[in-house]
Amino acid sequence: MDSVTLRACTGSAFSLCAGSAIRISSTSGAQVVDFWAVNPADPDECLSMEHTRTSLSRITPRRGDELFSNRRRPILTMIEDTSPGRHDTLIAACDPERYRQLGVDGYHPSCAENYRVALAAAGVRRSGIPSPFNLFMHVPCDADGQLRFLPTASRPGDYITLRARIDVLVVLSACPMDIDQPHFAGHRPRPSDVDVHVIPGTPG
Amino acid sequence: MDSVTLRACTGSAFSLCAGSAIRISSTSGAQVVDFWAVNPADPDECLSMEHTRTSLSRITPRRGDELFSNRRRPILTMIEDTSPGRHDTLIAACDPERYRQLGVDGYHPSCAENYRVALAAAGVRRSGIPSPFNLFMHVPCDADGQLRFLPTASRPGDYITLRARIDVLVVLSACPMDIDQPHFAGHRPRPSDVDVHVIPGTPG
């Protein structure tokens, strides 16, 4: 099992063969990880939150669920989740404009930039930034449709494992958000490292 | 005020100057209208459901709310909504694969195809299909994150009006969905016409 540390605030891409899996561990328990998946053989095909919600008739995938591409086929399976299952499919990746609007003067790392850099480093070209699967991000929706941005519900060492159903390029970003925001209700995220394990598939 | 009928199951694009507005009326009260907006001067910029949810901290825009692009700026304002406000930002546009999976043998019109054809006819090129704003589509989310596909809550003649904050190309599709589905809970949509009014802006 290959293991790497994804440093706080950074991104990286991981090539998975069909049948292999990726395990993403929140060492602090408090880190959000933005997750994307692109078909490197046809980069127009990517993991799609709107198609996944449609296929599952549910906002958030659970252990055992398939994750669907914009071609409506399952490309990943969530095979493990030791956390309480609070993940987000609704919120856009943070980007330089988000930080500018939050009052940051000058450079701030962002998930959108981490995605772009990791994808380019992997030699994959596609336009736009798909809506991410935000692992461990806790944004419950009340009956009135109001969203609350809460601290992660995960604990130190909680992990989620996704198995690839096709050869796929996974892009991860350890979210660099560290700004006080009114809708964070008093908590301020503290970026931390993430452990990533790529688990080879068992032949045949 | 220019008025056109968008025939059941078809799509069309409408050019709005900043300050003008588009009013979309469900004549039957039961018709879902997929809504997109693209900046024709920079087609990479489009209305984004994930950025709108993030900016509003709410799943569904309401009267008075701004709708945001993937550059995090407001490009439309919802200035009127006579319906009960049940609209969807979570579900992907129907497409040929969706109908194939629902058992349709052969051609079936779809919102995705309507979008592509209308955009091309307007001379705008961009890749992918943004997640649509599904007007009058009633897909409530319960506290467990489960989605239910319910009949529209709108009444005959209900309308929604959106004012452009920039010059924008709006694409509409009168959703052609007419297939019985288990998650429709016994109701089957009957495609119907939609009235569209483009309302010029008042000079300065």
Side-chain angles (χ1 to χ4, degrees), chain A:
Chain A
M1 185 190 294
D2 295 330
S3 173
V4 299
T5 298
L6 182 67
R7 294 288 174 202
C9 304
T10 72
S12 190
F14 300 85
S15 284
L16 300 186
C17 299
S20 64
I22 190 164
R23 178 175 297 159
I24 298 137
S25 307
S26 175
T27 53
S28 69
Q31 180 62 44
V32 168
V33 182
D34 280 33
F35 180 104
W36 293 270
V38 175
N39 177 358
D42 175 8
D44 284 343
E45 183 175 26
C46 65
L47 176 63
S48 166
M49 292 300 96
E50 61 265 31
H51 291 85
T52 297
R53 287 189 299 261
T54 304
S55 289
L56 299 179
S57 294
R58 198 178 318 115
I59 281 191
T60 305
R62 296 175 181 162
R63 188 167 61 84
D65 281 340
E66 311 285 2
L67 276 63
F68 290 78
S69 80
N70 53 352
R71 303 276 163 78
R72 295 189 188 271
R73 64 170 177 159
I75 60 171
L76 293 153
T77 309
M78 189 193 294
I79 57 173
E80 294 182 299
D81 183 7
T82 68
S83 81
R86 306 304 184 190
H87 311 291
D88 170 75
T89 73
L90 304 176
I91 301 301
C94 63
D95 56 21
E97 178 60 15
R98 175 80 186 262
Y99 291 101
R100 196 194 63 74
Q101 292 181 1
L102 286 170
V104 172
D105 186 18
Y107 176 77
H108 194 289
S110 68
C111 287
E113 190 183 62
N114 286 343
Y115 166 87
R116 281 198 198 94
V117 170
L119 204 69
V124 173
R125 290 172 62 97
R126 74 182 316 280
S127 66
I129 299 182
S131 196
F133 184 23
N134 297 308
L135 307 181
F136 310 117
M137 188 171 182
H138 189 194
V139 183
C141 174
D142 70 16
D144 198 36
Q146 202 74 30
L147 301 172
R148 287 179 303 149
F149 291 68
L150 298 183
T152 60
S154 46
R155 296 148 299 200
D158 270 345
Y159 58 84
I160 185 169
T161 310
L162 295 139
R163 180 182 288 145
R165 295 191 51 160
I166 64 168
D167 294 351
V168 71
L169 187 76
V170 163
V171 179
L172 303 180
S173 171
C175 181
M177 178 59 70
D178 60 353
I179 312 293
D180 274 319
Q181 297 179 54
H183 66 195
F184 278 180
H187 74 99
R188 177 175 172 174
R190 305 284 178 191
S192 56
D193 295 350
V194 173
D195 280 342
V196 182
H197 302 255
V198 173
I199 307 164
T202 47

Side-chain angles (χ1 to χ4, degrees), chain B residues 89-146:
Chain B
T89 72
L90 303 175
I91 301 301
C94 63
D95 57 21
E97 177 61 16
R98 175 76 186 262
Y99 291 101
R100 196 194 63 74
Q101 292 180 2
L102 287 169
V104 172
D105 187 18
Y107 176 77
H108 194 288
S110 66
C111 287
E113 191 183 61
N114 286 344
Y115 165 87
R116 281 198 198 94
V117 169
L119 204 68
V124 173
R125 292 172 61 94
R126 74 182 317 279
S127 66
I129 298 183
S131 197
F133 184 24
N134 297 308
L135 307 181
F136 310 118
M137 187 171 184
H138 190 193
V139 183
C141 173
D142 71 15
D144 199 34
Q146 201 75 29

Side-chain angles (χ1 to χ4, degrees), chain B residues 149-197:
Chain B
F149 290 69
L150 298 183
T152 60
S154 45
R155 297 147 300 198
D158 270 344
Y159 59 83
I160 184 169
T161 310
L162 295 139
R163 180 182 287 143
R165 294 193 50 162
I166 64 168
D167 293 351
V168 71
L169 186 76
V170 163
V171 179
L172 303 180
S173 171
C175 181
M177 178 58 70
D178 60 353
I179 312 293
D180 274 319
Q181 297 179 53
H183 66 194
F184 278 1
H187 75 98
R188 177 176 172 172
R190 306 284 178 191
S192 56
D193 294 350
V194 174
D195 280 343
V196 182
H197 301 256

